[in-house]
Amino acid sequence: MVHFEEDVGKAVKFLAILPGFMKRVAGRKATVIDKRVQQCLDYLRPAIDDRMATMTRFGKNWADKPACYFGGAWVIDEVVARNQGPEEVARIVLFINFGAISTTSAAILQALYDISVRPELANTLREEVEAAVAEEGWTKVAINKMRKFDSFLRECERHNGPIINALSMFRNILQPVTLSDGKFLPKGTTVVTPTFATHFDEGNYPNAALFDPLRSYKSDKAVQPQLTTTSADYVTPGRFFVSNELKAMLAYIVANYDVKPEYEDVRPENLRTRSLTNNPSDIARVLFRRRQVD
Ligand code: HEM
């Protein structure tokens, strides 16, 4: 999975310099993507064959059918409906994980950097995690009770938004369209969301440059805006899966480890590039020490 991500990155750079008519052929011949699909199949084929055989035998909705994106109703059902085979399943799994791995890793890294320079925040979050876990165990209900944690992660996304970048949600206009305010967008226009401009607008967030981990926890809105609550002033993808995944991993880390930055009080700088990307430092270190509990 990880090699596939690296390969796609390299392929993008290579294909970008080729003229359009060569891209399709070169994409197949000059990259190792097909090889990665085969390698992925080495692992997945037994599971795919098993699910497909079960579907043939018991129909689409058998008892105990798993509800996951791979084996459940999502990928394999779709591939079977299109009369495609295991290769396509592997291709889709690689594609989805391509979107899932680097983004989630970046989000975790950003949050770790932010916790590592704020020991008092780590204590606050730890208290919340321990109280929620004492009541509910390591469950989704406990995660839902971690409101300060949610607020902290929302602030991480607002400030550093991994893969959100200065611009996000690119859309190409396929047919000419006139918006409700009369603005005309001709075919071929690219429309984007100005993420940083929105997230650092003082009208949206007073003292916007300040990283305030409990900003939304302290919000005077009737319902605390969540990491998953998207709005005109919070333009991140808002995926529930990611929210739970990030909270589970980071909650476990704060509950079990003390973390500190490699250089005291220094929060590693983000890597911003000319293509407007914003990534966490990939050379900084965070030091972990297992917590001493009496
Ligand atoms: C912090 C973690 C993540 C971030 C920051 C992130 C960010 C994004 C962004 C900015 C988009 C484009 C949205 C748009 O243009 O409308 C996107 C699309 C997508 N993401 Fe994520 N993502 C994350 C995690 C994940 C995970 C864990 C998965 C899968 C398990 C995933 C699967 C997808 C898919 C399939 C799309 C394409 C959706 C479509 O075209 O309709 N993402 N993501």
Side-chain angles (χ1 to χ4, degrees):
M1 294 294 166
V2 173
H3 288 316
F4 178 75
E5 286 220 37
E6 292 164 358
D7 296 336
V8 171
K10 283 184 206 150
V12 165
K13 285 193 192 127
F14 169 66
L15 293 176
I17 57 172
L18 293 182
F21 71 94
M22 287 176 69
K23 289 188 202 293
R24 183 172 281 268
V25 181
R28 279 238 119 92
K29 298 266 177 232
T31 67
V32 292
I33 306 297
D34 282 345
K35 182 175 131 199
R36 295 287 180 227
V37 171
Q38 290 307 324
Q39 285 176 329
C40 179
L41 265 183
D42 289 346
Y43 291 96
L44 293 188
R45 194 183 284 278
I48 300 173
D49 287 349
D50 179 61
R51 297 285 153 80
M52 286 185 166
T54 313
M55 263 170 102
T56 314
R57 202 156 156 225
F58 300 113
K60 239 177 96 172
N61 294 310
W62 72 88
D64 304 329
K65 180 174 179 173
C68 70
Y69 91 78
F70 168 69
W74 306 359
V75 177
I76 295 190
D77 278 9
E78 183 64 23
V79 168
V80 169
R82 289 194 226 147
N83 277 328
Q84 290 169 315
E87 278 210 353
E88 187 60 17
V89 178
R91 203 177 289 279
I92 295 175
V93 168
L94 281 168
F95 167 76
I96 293 178
N97 287 355
F98 173 77
I101 294 176
S102 58
T103 46
T104 313
S105 318
I108 294 230
L109 213 45
Q110 294 283 21
L112 264 179
Y113 290 158
D114 284 323
I115 293 178
S116 70
V117 287
R118 293 180 181 81
E120 70 301 339
L121 170 68
N123 283 336
T124 307
L125 297 179
R126 182 173 290 154
E127 276 169 23
E128 188 185 62
V129 170
E130 286 178 344
V133 171
E135 279 172 30
E136 310 290 349
W138 282 98
T139 58
K140 193 157 170 292
V141 179
I143 285 176
N144 289 343
K145 287 190 170 177
M146 299 175 192
R147 312 302 270 198
K148 291 179 185 164
F149 224 112
D150 192 283
S151 172
F152 160 64
L153 286 172
R154 190 173 152 99
E155 188 72 347
C156 290
E157 287 288 313
R158 182 182 75 83
H159 241 251
N160 299 309
I163 323 297
I164 298 301
N165 308 329
L167 304 172
S168 182
M169 286 190 266
F170 288 70
R171 295 292 183 274
N172 288 328
I173 303 295
L174 300 179
Q175 285 177 15
V177 61
T178 304
L179 303 181
S180 55
D181 66 354
K183 215 169 266 114
F184 175 70
L185 302 175
K187 183 179 168 182
T189 314
T190 300
V191 188
V192 298
T193 308
T195 316
F196 281 173
T198 307
H199 287 180
F200 288 92
D201 185 325
E202 287 288 321
N204 294 333
Y205 299 94
N207 215 348
L210 177 77
F211 184 94
D212 180 356
L214 299 185
R215 190 184 283 271
S216 44
Y217 181 75
K218 294 181 293 192
S219 140
D220 52 11
K221 297 200 170 126
V223 179
Q224 177 186 330
Q226 302 279 297
L227 177 60
T228 47
T229 320
T230 52
S231 57
D233 57 13
Y234 188 67
V235 285
T236 71
R239 310 260 193 243
F240 288 91
F241 175 77
V242 173
S243 170
N244 288 325
E245 188 187 15
L246 290 178
K247 280 186 224 163
M249 287 197 260
L250 286 162
Y252 186 83
I253 290 174
V254 295
N256 290 289
Y257 296 91
D258 292 320
V259 291
K260 66 173 195 174
E262 189 174 9
Y263 303 104
E264 194 138 352
D265 293 335
V266 179
R267 201 266 188 219
E269 295 246 347
N270 288 340
L271 306 168
R272 294 197 176 167
T273 67
R274 274 189 303 162
S275 59
L276 302 174
T277 55
N278 177 52
N279 289 313
S281 165
D282 56 0
I283 50 165
R285 295 177 199 214
V286 174
L287 308 183
F288 282 62
R289 182 182 63 185
R290 186 168 272 285
R291 271 182 74 209
Q292 319 290 319
V293 185
D294 307 328

